[in-house]
Structure formats: C-alpha cells, structure tokens
C-alpha cells in the first residue's frame, strides 16, 4: 500500500550542487536513507545516491530508516512520493542478533561473581586499580537481593531492569524524558564494558611506550589483562541479554508473546540467577478475550538443588507446578503448599492445582529457541 505523502527536496546554497547533480526526473524510483531529522520542523537530511540533501516531509521519519521514493515533480524544488519505508522485520533483527552473539554469550552470573570477588579484596593489597574496583562496586548495585525478589514489587522491578526492555525504554525516554534507565542491567553493562575496554587499551599503550619502570610496566600489564577479562565477561553478558531480546521479539503466533530473561541476584553473599520465561496468550472465553499468563522460573536454592516452577494464571485462578531434583526437596515444598494457597487468597486469587513432582523438565538451550535461524545458516 502506497503512502500518499509528498517529500520536497529543499535547495539551500549548501545543498544545491548535490541536489542538482542527482538530476531528478519525473517517474524516477530511488532509495534514500534518513541521516538526520530536525525535531519539530519536519526537515530531514537524506543520503540519496551518496549525496546529502535536505528535505521537508509531513511524515515522521527516523534516522537510519530506508525509504523508497518516486519523483513526481522535477524543477528547483523536486517533489518525491514516499512509496514505502523499507521496514526491518523482527526476523531480520533476530537473525542479526543471533549471528553476532551466539558464540559470545555468557551468563551474567559469571561477570557478577568476578565483580563480587574484586569488591572483597582489601585496597592496597592487590593489583586491582581503583577505577576497576569502583566499576565493580557500582555494577553490583544493579543486582537485586533475595529479599527484594520475595515481594511482588521487587520481582516486577527486577524484570523491568533486566535489560531486555532497554531499547523500548530509551524510546520512551526520547519521547517524554520521564523514563529512567539508571539501573537497567544492559545499560550498566554497556557502560562497564566500554570503560573496561578503554582501561585495557590504556594499559597496553602504557606498556608499549616503555617509559615505566619494570615494576610499573608489569603492574600496567596486569591491570590491562584484568580489564580485558572483565570486558570479555561483560560482552558475554551483553550477548546473553541480546539473544534473550531476540527470542522475545513478537513472532508469527497470533495472540502469543514470550519474554525470555535471566535475573542475577545476591543471596547469602553469593551470586545466583533466576531464569525466567513469561508467556502471554490471548484466549477466547465466553464472549470475551482473556489473557492467560504462564511464568516458568528455574532457581538453584542452596541445599535444594535445581528447582523449576511453572505458574499459570487465567482470570483470577492460578495453577502452580513444582519440579525438583530430589524427593526431600519435593517434600519440603509439598509441606508448604497450604501457606502458598493462603498467600494467593490474600492476593485475591483462587488457587487451583498446586502440584509437586521429582524430575526436572529438560532445559531448552538458547540454540533450540532460535533453531530456525541457525538451520538457515548451517
């Protein structure tokens, strides 16, 4: 479907040569990339055939957007019709994310444990530079603790700050300036990785200059290596978040949306993580459409082993299924189901089926979640 909107090429002195050299002809079809937009004016800078020109459009265009244009009027101020913006599909975004990150990704727990170990080293007794120590301590503040995750608001906050919604939050921030990303995990990792990488390059430069004393040169190399290790772990954690974002993009299943994320958290002075999959599916019920929510969580509580929990909510009825590695862990959960049922009642929910079982469901590796793309590149 064609977008009936004209785009006028402006012709100020600084762009006249570029605009005239393009020789616009009526009926001509061309592609353009939006380079820059001037907020509130409708003006934009376009790259057409390698030439930078100014244009005026009634459409709201976005930098980086690719346009297909048709010339409908030549002359001093050529007019073009935007036939269609060339959209980037979720499949294309997902494929690019997979190719760039599948071999890189690591659990954010690995980096968090490195940072926790660094934060515990006494100042002045190690080779950890103060800048790295500060980075480690600041990034650890992004992690919730088990007490926070024991409340509804704490869980909601941890999911919101998990990193998979960063770009959506940035869009809101750009629009009204009311959104905060100060504690978004992905934003923090991006800052951390950049600074750690810069630290490693600075250390390498100092060593190559050869101006330091031998002991100082050795220390610079140690600091550089530490920064490289931390930067690599941070990039791996970012890779995992990007893949989770790719998996969480809307698919072809009508009425169904899945979000995949991993939440590192602190408990008893250690770092653990919760792997969470949230699914919303629209279902017809009587004369209304109602959303069924399913949340799958995998934890590794101390002394209990791996614990899997699946929560299904439709309307105000909730069903919960627990899977454990051992019979003793199952018995402990079974003994506390009455307490869980009362908590649901206090929250205005009706407890349906509350069940426990021994034997874990097989984990779906990231590769299987994006198998179609991997097969296409095999």
């Amino acid at each position: 479907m064609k977008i009936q909107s004209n785009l006028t090429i402006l012709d100020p002195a600084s762009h006249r040569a570029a605009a005239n050299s393009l020789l616009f002809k009526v009926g001509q079809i061309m592609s353009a990339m939006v380079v820059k937009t001037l907020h509130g004016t409708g003006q934009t800078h376009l790259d057409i055939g390698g030439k930078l020109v100014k244009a005026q459009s009634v459409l709201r265009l976005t930098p980086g957007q690719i346009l297909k244009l048709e010339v409908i009027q030549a002359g001093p101020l050529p007019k073009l019709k935007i036939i269609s913006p060339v959209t980037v599909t979720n499949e294309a975004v997902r494929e690019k994310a997979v190719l760039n990150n599948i071999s890189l990704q690591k659990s954010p727990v690995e980096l968090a444990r490195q940072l926790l170990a660094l934060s515990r080293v006494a100042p002045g007794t190690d080779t950890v530079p103060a800048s790295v120590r500060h980075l480690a301590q600041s990034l650890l503040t992004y992690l919730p603790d088990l007490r926070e995750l024991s409340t509804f608001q704490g869980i909601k906050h941890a999911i919101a700050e998990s990193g998979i919604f960063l770009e959506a939050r940035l869009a809101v921030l750009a629009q009204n300036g009311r959104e905060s990303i100060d504690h978004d995990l992905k934003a923090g990792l991006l800052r951390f990785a950049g600074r750690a990488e810069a630290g490693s390059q600075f250390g390498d430069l100092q060593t190559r200059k050869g101006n330091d004393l031998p002991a100082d040169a050795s220390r610079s190399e140690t600091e550089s290596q530490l920064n490289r290790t931390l930067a690599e772990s941070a990039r791996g954690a970012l890779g995992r978040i990007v893949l989770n974002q790719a998996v969480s993009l809307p698919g072809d299943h009508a009425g169904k949306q899945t979000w995949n994320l991993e939440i590192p958290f602190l408990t008893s002075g250690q770092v653990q993580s919760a792997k969470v999959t949230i699914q919303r599916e629209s279902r017809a019920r009587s004369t209304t459409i109602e959303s069924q929510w399913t949340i799958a969580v995998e934890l590794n509580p101390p002394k209990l082993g791996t614990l899997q929990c699946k929560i299904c909510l439709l309307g105000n009825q909730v069903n919960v299924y627990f899977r454990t590695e051992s019979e003793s862990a199952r018995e402990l959960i079974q003994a506390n189901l009455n307490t869980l049922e009362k908590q649901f009642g206090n929250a205005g929910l009706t407890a349906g089926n509350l069940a426990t079982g021994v034997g874990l469901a097989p984990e779906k590796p990231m590769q299987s979640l994006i198998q179609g793309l991997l097969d296409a590149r095999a």
Side-chain angles (χ1 to χ4, degrees):
M1 179 177 178
K2 294 185 178 181
I3 300 176
Q4 302 300 322
S5 175
N6 287 342
L7 181 146
T8 303
I9 299 296
L10 304 178
D11 194 26
S14 60
H15 292 270
R16 184 176 292 117
N20 289 341
S21 67
L22 289 171
L23 299 176
F24 295 105
K25 297 179 181 179
V26 175
Q28 182 181 2
I29 303 295
M30 59 182 63
S31 295
M33 184 180 75
V34 180
V35 177
K36 179 181 179 181
T37 58
L38 303 179
H39 182 67
T41 67
Q43 291 188 13
T44 182
H45 293 181
L46 300 176
D47 183 328
I48 304 178
K51 307 294 184 181
L52 184 66
V53 297
K54 275 188 179 180
Q56 182 84 29
S57 176
V58 297
L59 281 184
R60 186 173 181 176
L61 303 176
T62 305
Q65 189 175 18
I66 306 299
L67 306 175
K68 185 177 181 182
L69 307 173
E70 178 184 356
V71 180
I72 59 175
Q73 177 181 311
L77 297 177
K79 293 185 180 296
L80 291 81
K81 182 166 61 179
I82 300 176
I83 299 176
S84 63
V86 179
T87 59
V88 179
T89 64
N90 284 341
E91 288 72 19
V93 173
R94 188 181 287 114
E95 180 176 354
K96 184 176 181 180
V98 170
L99 294 176
N100 290 343
N101 293 280
I102 191 64
S103 62
L104 176 71
Q105 54 107 12
K106 298 178 182 177
S107 171
V109 171
E110 182 174 327
L111 173 63
R113 286 174 176 163
Q114 290 173 321
L115 300 183
L116 191 61
L118 287 176
S119 70
R120 290 172 174 169
V121 177
T125 61
D126 66 306
T127 58
V128 181
S131 59
V132 175
R133 188 189 304 278
H134 176 72
L135 283 173
Q137 292 172 340
S138 64
L139 195 56
L140 285 173
T141 64
Y142 287 71
L143 307 184
D145 58 32
L146 187 59
R147 177 182 53 81
E148 294 175 77
L149 294 179
S150 300
T151 67
F152 168 75
Q153 287 299 330
I155 294 174
K156 182 179 178 181
H157 180 74
I159 291 174
E161 303 288 357
S162 65
I164 70 166
F165 304 110
L166 174 60
E167 284 71 18
R169 300 176 73 185
L170 286 172
V172 175
L173 180 63
Q175 188 172 9
N176 58 34
R178 297 176 184 173
E179 182 70 24
S180 172
I181 60 169
D182 290 346
H183 291 90
D184 185 275
L185 181 58
K186 185 179 181 183
L189 285 169
L190 286 167
R191 288 190 287 265
F192 180 87
R195 292 172 68 179
E197 183 68 33
S200 69
Q201 293 172 354
F202 177 77
D204 289 343
L205 180 62
Q206 291 293 96
T207 301
R208 287 197 299 270
K209 283 182 177 179
N211 295 328
D212 298 329
L213 295 174
D216 291 335
S218 177
R219 182 180 178 87
S220 293
E221 176 57 30
T222 300
E223 292 178 1
S224 179
Q225 180 59 47
L226 177 58
N227 275 293
R228 277 196 296 270
T229 300
L230 293 173
E232 181 180 350
S233 295
R235 289 194 298 268
L238 283 166
R240 173 67 60 86
I241 292 176
V242 171
L243 287 178
N244 280 333
Q245 289 179 305
V247 172
S248 301
L249 285 170
D252 298 328
H253 305 291
K256 183 182 291 188
Q257 171 69 57
T258 300
W259 295 269
N260 203 69
L261 57 139
E262 183 173 354
I263 302 175
F265 62 93
L266 300 171
T267 175
S268 302
Q270 301 295 324
V271 181
Q272 294 190 28
S273 72
K275 297 178 182 178
V276 182
T277 299
I278 303 171
Q279 186 176 91
R280 181 186 63 195
E281 184 174 1
S282 299
R283 291 195 171 191
R285 198 175 192 186
S286 300
T287 58
T288 62
I289 300 295
E290 200 163 18
S291 291
Q292 173 173 295
W293 292 87
T294 302
I295 302 176
V297 182
E298 182 175 306
L299 297 165
N300 291 277
K303 301 180 181 179
L304 289 181
T306 302
L307 169 65
Q308 295 174 338
C309 177
K310 186 175 182 180
I311 306 168
C312 301
L313 177 67
L314 181 60
N316 70 335
Q317 179 171 311
V318 59
N319 301 314
V320 184
Y321 308 90
F322 291 96
R323 288 176 174 267
T324 64
E325 283 187 295
S326 65
E327 178 62 27
S328 60
R330 188 203 68 80
E331 291 176 352
L332 180 60
I333 294 172
Q334 183 70 38
N336 287 276
L337 289 183
N338 289 337
T339 301
L340 181 61
E341 185 173 358
K342 291 178 182 178
Q343 291 176 336
F344 284 144
N346 294 336
L349 299 173
T350 300
N353 188 19
L354 306 180
T356 61
V358 178
L360 301 177
E363 179 183 2
K364 289 184 179 180
M366 184 66 68
Q367 287 85 343
S368 70
L369 296 174
I370 46 185
Q371 190 65 46
L373 292 175
L374 294 179
D375 288 346
R377 292 284 176 172

